[in-house]
Amino acid sequence: NDTQPLVAFLVSERGELVTSLITRKLLSNVVRTLENNGNFEMALALTPEYDADRVTSIRLRIAQQALENDMHRDGLDLLSRAISGPSRISVALDMRAKTCQTSWVRRENAVAWADFFFSNRPSMTQRRLSSRATLEVADRAILEALCIADHDADRVTCFLKQGISLSSADCEAIITGKDTNLSAREQNGALLKLFDHEGNHHRVLQLLETSPD
């Protein structure tokens, strides 16, 4: 509370302050204090645009704070504004592991993760900046989220057609796993398209024989 008048002054005069080396240091110290106290929104408001790395770091802290408070869609939107490109998914997965390893699987949260993953995954392959190991981790997380979030297999099927890095056995285990919200019919339809795309006609025939239709 004692720092609020100073912070208010700094916010109002930031444009002038950043031109002075001395006041830049003062501004930096205040921002660091605010970060240490968890006042990330105010710290972001005070951080000059030229300090791009710090702006990104604070935005990611705000995103992480949102995830910790069970506001998954807000957190992912903030993360998307903080960084761009193929690193989005890996950063999000690291953040999820630290903050919400269990809460994300609730369906309303899984929908937010599925939407985020589905929209960002193409950048990982189009720009050829992701290793196969990174893609496997991401693809597993994406498929798991889609199977929890969706009741129909449209996005699952679309995702499988992208040529993902998981084996067909891994895909089948996730699609038919205990956490899936896909109906038996939707699971079967997704697997038929997966194995047909791979040319695995024996498996296609097996699925047709056991089809719930």
Side-chain angles (χ1 to χ4, degrees):
N1 291 335
D2 294 339
T3 64
Q4 284 183 352
L6 174 61
V7 169
F9 169 76
L10 291 173
V11 170
S12 65
E13 301 295 328
R14 189 183 70 171
E16 297 295 328
L17 289 171
V18 295
T19 62
S20 164
L21 184 60
I22 295 175
T23 49
R24 280 188 186 187
K25 185 173 182 180
L26 170 63
L27 198 61
S28 178
N29 289 339
V30 171
V31 168
R32 186 176 297 108
T33 299
L34 289 168
E35 284 188 82
N36 291 338
N37 292 334
N39 297 324
F40 302 120
E41 296 281 358
M42 189 64 75
L44 182 62
L46 278 172
T47 304
E49 292 179 4
Y50 63 75
D51 196 352
D53 288 344
R54 195 167 207 171
V55 168
T56 298
S57 174
I58 295 172
R59 283 178 174 167
L60 290 175
R61 296 287 295 276
I62 296 171
Q64 182 170 325
Q65 196 173 57
L67 292 177
E68 289 170 350
N69 292 328
D70 208 27
M71 297 185 294
H72 291 247
R73 190 169 294 279
D74 289 345
L76 292 169
D77 286 345
L78 288 163
L79 187 151
S80 295
R81 291 200 292 272
I83 55 176
S84 60
S87 62
R88 267 185 187 165
I89 287 181
S90 56
V91 170
L93 287 173
D94 287 343
M95 197 175 288
R96 190 175 78 178
K98 294 174 184 175
T99 59
C100 52
Q101 189 109 26
T102 56
S103 65
W104 82 268
V105 299
R106 289 203 303 272
R107 188 168 183 273
E108 65 272 20
N109 294 334
V111 170
W113 282 94
D115 293 346
F116 171 81
F117 285 147
F118 194 71
S119 62
N120 282 289
R121 202 277 184 182
S123 68
M124 298 187 72
T125 51
Q126 288 172 359
R127 300 178 71 174
R128 301 179 184 277
L129 294 177
S130 303
S131 68
R132 181 169 181 83
T134 300
L135 280 173
E136 286 181 0
V137 171
D139 286 345
R140 180 176 296 279
I142 295 169
L143 188 56
E144 287 173 347
L146 290 173
C147 289
I148 294 172
D150 295 351
H151 288 303
D152 63 65
D154 290 349
R155 288 201 296 182
V156 170
T157 299
C158 180
F159 178 55
L160 293 174
K161 286 181 177 178
Q162 293 179 17
I164 67 173
S165 58
L166 299 177
S167 69
S168 56
D170 286 337
C171 291
E172 184 172 10
I174 294 170
I175 290 169
T176 61
K178 63 181 178 63
D179 293 322
T180 187
N181 276 307
L182 298 174
S183 67
R185 178 179 297 178
E186 293 294 325
Q187 293 176 30
N188 194 269
L191 293 174
L192 278 171
K193 291 176 181 177
L194 168 65
F195 289 114
D196 184 58
H197 181 70
E198 290 185 346
N200 188 340
H201 304 301
H202 175 70
R203 192 72 183 92
V204 168
L205 289 173
Q206 284 183 324
L207 287 166
L208 287 172
E209 290 174 358
T210 58
S211 174
D213 292 334

